[in-house]
Amino acid sequence: MAERPRHRRALPIAIGAAVLAAGTGGGLWYVKPWQSAEVPQSACWNAFTHEDLAALTGPDGRTAALQGKGTFTDTDVRADILDCTVTRRRGGTSEVLAKISTGRRDERYRQAKAQAEAAGWQPVVPASLDFGPGAQGWLFHEGTVQLLLHCEYAEQDGRPGNFPYRLVTITGDQGASDAPAARVRQIRIDAALRVAKEAAQGCTNAPQLAARPPAAPF
């Protein structure tokens, strides 16, 4: 019997390896625009739908989603800096379509944000985003979205943690996506709320978040 072509056998192996990596807390997923259904929605903590990825990617290039190890329910604050990056290979360059960074912050950080907002965030004032009573949000004019989630937690010995806020930041390379800028901003806002809802599972105070993401104000 003739041997099956090797490339046909390699695809299931590659997919299996990606699934295995995702099960250990981190993952790397590749997708072509016309095969977007192969990217698991669990990539980047369910931040993007397949429609979002298709809009960001456009008809050309190859997209990869790289998620770091760790979960939002980890109790070790040193392992609490989590990130996920969606890149596109186009020509000979790699472009960051979306980068999600999350990490814990303390009360001083929240106060600094509040003071900056009260002072007008000079020289450029970002738009406030309503993500619900359990979070604060901002859309900056270059397209960066930030969400500060009130997320209390307990240390391993039961004491309250000293970093009761989690900051979610979503950005990307300017001009990396072929989608209109307003669409990219809305995708990031939607993703920020989805990530916050995933992160809230590790909070002891059950922060209240909006049922739907706010609309991009510009």
Side-chain angles (χ1 to χ4, degrees), residues 1 21 23 30 45 63-65 74 77 81 87 89 96 99 102 105 114-115 124 153 174 189-192 194-195:
M1 182 179 295
Y30 289 102
W45 315 288
T63 303
D74 288 345
V77 70
I81 300 174
T87 60
R89 190 76 179 175
V96 176
K99 179 175 178 57
T102 78
R105 297 294 187 270
Q115 291 172 2
V124 180
Y153 67 103
Q174 292 284 351
I189 292 171
D190 297 352
R194 294 189 191 110
V195 172

Side-chain angles (χ1 to χ4, degrees), residues 35-82:
Q35 297 173 337
S36 60
E38 292 183 7
V39 174
Q41 195 161 331
S42 58
C44 296
W45 315 288
N46 303 298
F48 303 108
T49 66
H50 297 319
E51 290 76 14
D52 292 337
L53 289 172
L56 290 173
T57 304
D60 300 318
R62 189 184 188 192
T63 303
L66 177 61
Q67 180 176 318
K69 294 182 179 180
T71 67
F72 289 117
T73 56
D74 288 345
T75 57
D76 187 354
V77 70
R78 293 173 298 178
D80 204 53
I81 300 174
L82 307 177

Side-chain angles (χ1 to χ4, degrees), residues 106-198:
D106 59 11
E107 181 61 30
R108 290 178 299 178
Y109 183 87
R110 188 202 65 79
Q111 291 177 357
K113 282 284 192 181
Q115 291 172 2
E117 192 167 22
W121 296 80
Q122 296 299 325
V124 180
V125 181
S128 295
L129 299 174
D130 184 7
F131 287 110
Q136 295 173 278
W138 303 274
L139 172 62
F140 294 83
H141 286 269
E142 82 282 3
T144 297
V145 174
Q146 285 193 328
L147 184 155
L148 188 63
L149 176 68
H150 182 198
C151 180
E152 298 177 6
Y153 67 103
E155 299 283 3
Q156 292 181 341
D157 60 5
R159 294 180 295 108
N162 295 322
F163 298 85
Y165 298 93
R166 183 184 287 277
L167 180 68
V168 177
T169 301
I170 304 182
T171 186
D173 291 344
Q174 292 284 351
S177 176
D178 295 329
R183 177 75 173 111
V184 173
R185 290 191 290 267
Q186 189 62 57
I187 288 174
R188 293 177 182 175
I189 292 171
D190 297 352
L193 181 59
R194 294 189 191 110
V195 172
K197 289 184 176 181
E198 291 285 334

